[in-house]
């Protein structure tokens, strides 16, 4: 109970980024200990101050020096046999904004569940009051062992976050649950611990990426959309606790963790998926760059090159305007679109908002540095149905996504009796 209270307090006090955060990385003895090195690298890259605590058996798998060099800190390998004094261990526990134990063996899980402190990591853990994420990794029979599961339940009830291991072939040649998730996933789930879950209970439907409209079996009409903005919107909603469905055209980026991904190719397919799902959604955000036209009659066979012709004409017909249809059908939903413009940004965005019956539109200029297709950053202006607007300067697409949800919650939340939330940087 006390742990839960402390956990909540910390989550609300700290912001979502790792910059300047003190993270304790506990590493136990398992073949997956090498993945902790990559996790450390990701945390450092994100600006975290990382303090590594290794158990004696972890030292059998990865050298302490690797963690010392990468963390730019002393590594705690024992209560009495390191430069880091036992008093400093308590300081580390006090300073921690979060703790992640990856890999976590059955041994450390058992000790934490029973308040046993017989080495550096288990001792520090008793003094920790920050959020804790445990990443179990072991042989699948060990993982499924009733006592281990019982201990994990205890830790979960104590307020710790347990990251479920993946399934597959394990180092011990058995197949089943027990594999340590990839470092990128551990990093992402750790970030989620820091984010206020102000979209909890909300169903968010997002579209992203381009559509492809077939000319023949090997060629298509499409556009330069990378999907980065839509994926950032979906990821941000998931981090903030929403139940997210992402309907995506073909892109070359990895989907966010913890979402329901629906892959489509054509505008027609996207229309079907979005319109089928919209009645159930609370917030719908169309970020996709939908092709407005498609070839009227795609060829069944590859179009062959012909000599001495005056080029080739393809007759195009209009695709459904998904957002406009959603605008006609919407009832309680908050409906948002994006307007990619090369000129007259404001007037074009306002016309689109009106024509498509939107609650909000994000307008951005394409073809300028730091904004639009393919870029990791964007610069948008938000226009709301109620006449308000907000300029968002150039920033990472994930940060823009947070600003968008801040605005949506401020408007939509107010309508539905929610308190206005503060900005999540
Ligand atoms: N959109 C849509 N279906 C389409 C075309 C666009 O749902 N067939 C959505 C986009 O996902 C975006 C918004 O409508 O949220 C505006 O898209 P945009 O391409 O900027 O505008 P269009 O409506 O296509 O108008 P134009 O191309 O003339 O600017």
């Amino acid at each position: 109970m006390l742990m839960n209270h402390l956990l909540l307090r910390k989550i609300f006090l700290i912001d979502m980024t790792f910059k300047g955060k003190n993270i304790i990385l506990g590493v136990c003895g398992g073949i997956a200990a090498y993945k902790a090195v990559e996790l450390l690298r990701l945390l450092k890259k994100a600006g975290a101050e990382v303090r590594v605590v290794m158990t004696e058996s972890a030292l059998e798998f990865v050298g302490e020096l690797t963690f010392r060099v990468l963390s730019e800190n002393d590594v705690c390998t024992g209560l009495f046999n390191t430069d880091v004094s036992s008093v400093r261990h308590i300081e580390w526990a006090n300073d921690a904004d979060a703790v992640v134990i990856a890999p976590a063996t059955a041994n450390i899980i058992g000790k934490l569940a029973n308040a046993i402190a017989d080495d550096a990591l288990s001792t520090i853990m008793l003094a920790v009051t920050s959020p804790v994420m445990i990443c179990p990794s072991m042989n699948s029979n060990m993982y499924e062992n009733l006592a281990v599961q019982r201990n994990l339940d205890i830790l979960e009830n104590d307020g710790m976050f347990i990251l479920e291991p993946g399934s597959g072939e394990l180092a011990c040649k058995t197949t089943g649950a027990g594999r340590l998730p990839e470092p990128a996933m551990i990093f992402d789930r750790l970030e989620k611990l820091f984010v206020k879950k102000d979209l909890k209970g909300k169903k968010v439907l997002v579209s992203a990426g381009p559509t492809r409209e077939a000319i023949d079996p090997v060629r298509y009409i499409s556009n330069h959309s990378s999907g980065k903005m839509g994926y950032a919107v979906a990821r941000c909603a998931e981090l903030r606790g929403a139940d997210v469905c992402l309907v995506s055209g073909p892109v070359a980026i990895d989907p966010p963790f913890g979402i329901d991904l629906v892959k489509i190719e054509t505008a027609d397919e996207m229309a079907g998926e979005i319109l089928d799902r919209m009645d159930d959604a609370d917030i719908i955000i169309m970020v996709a760059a939908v092709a407005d036209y498609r070839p009227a009659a795609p060829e069944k066979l590859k179009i062959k090159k012909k000599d001495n012709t005056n080029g080739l004409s393809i007759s195009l017909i209009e695709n459904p305007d998904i957002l406009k249809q959603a605008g006609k059908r919407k009832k309680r939903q908050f409906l948002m679109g994006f307007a990619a413009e090369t000129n007259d940004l404001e007037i074009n965005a306002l016309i689109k908002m009106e024509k498509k019956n939107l609650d909000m539109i994000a307008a951005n200029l394409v073809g300028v540095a730091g904004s639009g297709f393919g870029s990791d950053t964007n610069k948008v202006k938000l226009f709301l149905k109620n006449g308000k607007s907000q300029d968002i300067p150039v920033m990472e697409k994930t940060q823009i996504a947070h600003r968008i949800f801040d605005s949506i919650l401020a408007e939509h939340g107010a309508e539905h009796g929610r308190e206005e939330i503060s900005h999540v940087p």
Side-chain angles (χ1 to χ4, degrees), residues 123-330:
T123 305
I124 288 173
M125 289 307 291
L126 285 189
V128 159
T129 58
S130 70
V132 175
M133 192 166 99
I134 304 287
C135 309
S137 167
M138 63 199 79
N139 158 278
S140 52
N141 288 338
M142 287 170 77
Y143 178 67
E144 277 153 22
N145 178 283
L146 290 181
V148 172
Q149 287 299 317
R150 200 161 51 236
N151 286 337
L152 284 169
D153 285 346
I154 291 174
L155 297 187
E156 198 162 26
N157 287 332
D158 287 349
M160 294 187 194
F161 178 77
I162 313 294
L163 185 64
E164 248 188 65
S167 287
E169 196 186 325
L170 304 174
C172 53
K173 301 285 175 221
T174 57
T175 304
R179 185 159 52 191
L180 186 69
E182 291 311 306
M185 181 173 185
I186 301 174
F187 176 86
D188 185 89
R189 298 299 83 183
L190 190 60
E191 181 171 2
K192 188 169 180 178
L193 287 190
F194 289 100
V195 181
K196 188 174 172 183
K197 308 296 181 295
D198 49 10
L199 287 172
K200 199 167 170 51
K202 296 275 175 213
K203 289 195 167 149
V204 177
L205 179 60
V206 183
S207 75
T211 61
R212 279 181 186 173
E213 313 297 331
I215 296 171
D216 69 12
V218 294
R219 304 180 179 94
Y220 54 81
I221 295 177
S222 191
N223 56 63
H224 292 299
S225 171
S226 64
K228 285 181 183 170
M229 190 66 240
Y231 276 49
V233 167
R235 175 167 187 258
C236 173
E238 197 277 336
L239 287 178
R240 288 168 80 149
D243 192 352
V244 181
C245 175
L246 172 62
V247 179
S248 173
V251 295
I253 54 175
D254 289 330
F257 298 108
I259 57 134
D260 176 16
L261 177 69
V262 179
K263 290 185 183 174
I264 56 87
E265 290 242 330
T266 66
D268 249 345
E269 288 167 5
M270 182 172 275
E273 297 295 346
I274 294 285
L275 298 172
D276 264 7
R277 289 172 160 79
M278 73 167 279
D279 292 343
D280 211 23
D282 300 296
I283 299 168
I284 303 160
I285 308 184
M286 280 290 297
V287 196
V290 185
D292 288 328
Y293 296 92
R294 67 171 183 271
E299 297 292 337
K300 295 264 177 314
L301 300 175
K302 186 183 172 198
I303 301 170
K304 301 303 284 180
K305 186 168 60 189
K306 294 187 185 89
D307 293 334
N308 308 319
T309 55
N310 291 325
L312 174 74
S313 298
I314 299 169
S315 167
L316 301 177
I317 54 167
E318 219 173 312
N319 263 331
D321 188 323
I322 307 167
L323 194 53
K324 198 167 168 190
Q325 289 188 17
K328 277 191 190 139
R329 235 170 83 173
K330 85 174 171 109

Side-chain angles (χ1 to χ4, degrees), residues 229 233 285 334 336-339 345-346 349-350 353 359-364 378-393 399-409 411:
M229 190 66 240
V233 167
I285 308 184
F334 187 97
M336 179 185 177
F338 269 69
L345 186 74
E346 182 155 349
L350 292 175
M353 179 156 67
D359 298 287
M360 182 156 96
I361 193 157
N364 70 305
N378 210 353
K379 178 181 187 304
V380 304
K381 187 162 183 175
L382 300 181
F383 298 96
L384 284 136
K385 191 171 66 177
N386 59 18
K388 288 188 203 162
S389 68
Q390 190 193 344
D391 258 315
I392 304 181
Q399 303 301 308
I400 299 227
H402 275 295
R403 294 290 182 100
I404 286 170
F405 283 111
D406 290 346
S407 286
I408 292 177
L409 282 173
E411 297 304 320

